[in-house]
Amino acid sequence: MEENYYLAKWLNDEMTENERAEFMASADFEQFEKIKKYTAHLKVADFDEAKVLEKVLNHKKATPKVIPMFGNWMLKYAAILVIALSAFFLTQNLVSETQYAENGKKTTFSLPDASEVVLNSGSEIKYKKWNWNSNRNLELKGEAYFKVAKGKRFEVTTDLGKVAVLGTQFDVKARESRFDVTCFEGRVKVNYNAKEIILTKGQSVSFENGIQTDLHLENLQPEWLNNEIAFNKAKLNAIVAEIQRQYNVTITIKSNYSDELFTGKLPTNNIDIALQIIAKTYHLVPKKITSNQIIFEGK
């Protein structure tokens, strides 16, 4: 506002010497000088005072509309605040929580009831925090070890089957067409297709293409927590897929191989040993093309 006042005085040549000197020293003076120069030749039509006065007197006065700016801004601010809080609530509570373990890594986290979950490489779990007490359900893709808080209950749902638990420790693995559940403590209820099985400590069950296999184990926890992968009558393609997940590598088999099923353990912290065990079992030769690309060829 003050700048416009001095500009008007300058254009009308009404400035004092001190005001003129100060104005000419301002950063915008050069621009104002150019505007004055290029508009000096412009002509404005003569001003008809009588005509303007008549138009003003004959114009119907409109009642000015008073807009309560303070109230308007308060309403807008309140609306924005409500939207922001709603978005935050949805993000934090209604939207599913997702935990993921990348290939070559493991992820450990706690559920709202303090139960502990460890995700194996290349695995994912989704669940909802906001109604956990009434909807204790997790969606699992891959493999996870659960250490359930005493007296707590929840269900683990996979594409192949479902497991219901109460204060126990167990492992669930759902990869491709194979579904494995192992109970390390307490009891778990396994649902696979139309079957329902109760497992107790040391019992394990596997389903693949409708075939059920039962095992009794002495382990206190899954081998993969101790840098080993345990296989029971596994096919080569399933073994290779697991090695790829554990070591974050790509393996190609350029040879025919037998349908022999593998039962045993492979290390997850030494890929060379793991490859040699597979090569010896299936009569293959492993070749590293790059640090993360491997080929199995026939002997």
Side-chain angles (χ1 to χ4, degrees):
M1 184 69 72
E2 186 176 355
E3 183 181 76
N4 293 338
Y5 168 72
Y6 281 115
L7 177 60
K9 290 186 70 176
W10 175 66
L11 290 172
N12 293 325
D13 199 22
E14 297 174 354
M15 282 186 165
T16 64
E17 291 298 326
N18 290 337
E19 287 176 337
R20 188 187 304 277
E22 183 179 346
F23 187 72
M24 292 175 67
S26 67
D28 296 324
F29 177 74
E30 184 178 351
Q31 188 69 21
F32 292 144
E33 184 71 19
K34 288 181 180 180
I35 294 172
K36 183 178 180 181
K37 177 181 177 181
Y38 291 118
T39 57
H41 66 284
L42 297 177
K43 292 184 178 180
V44 182
D46 294 335
F47 182 67
D48 190 338
E49 295 181 3
K51 188 175 181 180
V52 172
L53 178 60
E54 182 182 0
K55 186 175 181 180
V56 171
L57 292 175
N58 291 332
H59 182 72
K60 184 178 179 180
K61 293 184 179 180
T63 303
K65 187 177 180 180
V66 179
I67 301 176
M69 295 299 292
F70 178 76
N72 240 13
W73 278 108
M74 286 298 293
L75 288 174
K76 289 181 180 179
Y77 178 78
I80 292 171
L81 183 61
V82 169
I83 293 172
L85 289 174
S86 299
F88 177 78
F89 177 79
L90 287 171
T91 302
Q92 295 296 315
N93 297 293
L94 300 184
V95 176
S96 295
E97 178 84 7
T98 301
Q99 295 286 347
Y100 182 71
E102 298 178 353
N103 286 349
K105 297 182 179 180
K106 298 178 179 66
T107 298
T108 301
F109 64 97
S110 295
L111 296 172
D113 60 12
S115 296
E116 185 179 290
V117 182
V118 185
L119 277 176
N120 203 351
S121 301
S123 302
E124 178 184 286
I125 273 185
K126 289 184 179 180
Y127 65 97
K128 292 181 179 179
K129 286 183 177 181
W130 70 281
N131 65 341
W132 177 254
N133 287 331
S134 59
N135 182 25
R136 297 169 177 265
N137 183 267
L138 302 97
E139 297 177 18
L140 170 65
K141 292 182 179 180
E143 183 173 13
Y145 170 66
F146 299 86
K147 190 173 182 180
V148 185
K150 188 175 182 179
K152 302 300 182 181
R153 181 190 298 272
F154 59 78
E155 290 185 341
V156 181
T157 302
T158 75
D159 292 336
L160 300 175
K162 185 169 65 175
V163 181
V165 302
L166 173 61
T168 186
Q169 298 181 36
F170 65 103
D171 186 85
V172 180
K173 183 178 182 180
R175 303 277 197 197
E176 288 80 40
S177 61
R178 180 156 174 159
F179 182 47
D180 297 85
V181 182
T182 304
C183 180
F184 295 97
E185 183 180 290
R187 301 171 71 211
V188 296
K189 181 173 68 175
V190 181
N191 291 95
Y192 178 81
N193 292 337
K195 292 185 177 182
E196 182 175 294
I197 300 171
I198 301 296
L199 299 180
T200 57
K201 182 178 179 179
Q203 291 183 325
S204 178
V205 65
S206 299
F207 297 96
E208 186 168 16
N209 299 323
I211 300 175
Q212 178 179 335
T213 303
D214 298 305
L215 288 174
H216 290 272
L217 306 174
E218 298 295 331
N219 303 333
L220 299 178
Q221 60 183 8
E223 287 86 348
W224 59 267
L225 292 180
N226 297 313
N227 299 318
E228 288 184 326
I229 323 169
F231 297 96
N232 178 55
K233 297 181 180 179
K235 296 178 180 178
L236 178 59
N237 57 355
I239 298 168
V240 168
E242 192 63 44
I243 293 175
Q244 290 181 129
R245 279 187 288 266
Q246 295 295 331
Y247 290 100
N248 194 23
V249 297
T250 300
I251 299 176
T252 304
I253 303 176
K254 292 187 175 181
S255 174
N256 294 325
Y257 54 88
S258 69
D259 293 330
E260 182 180 352
L261 300 179
F262 177 79
T263 297
K265 298 178 182 179
L266 298 177
T268 60
N269 55 1
N270 191 320
I271 191 170
D272 293 323
I273 293 177
L275 294 176
Q276 288 299 326
I277 293 173
I278 296 304
K280 184 176 181 180
T281 303
Y282 290 91
H283 309 289
L284 300 171
V285 178
K287 292 185 178 180
K288 285 188 177 181
I289 306 304
T290 64
S291 60
N292 60 354
Q293 287 187 316
I294 299 161
I295 292 177
F296 273 125
E297 296 180 341
K299 287 186 176 180

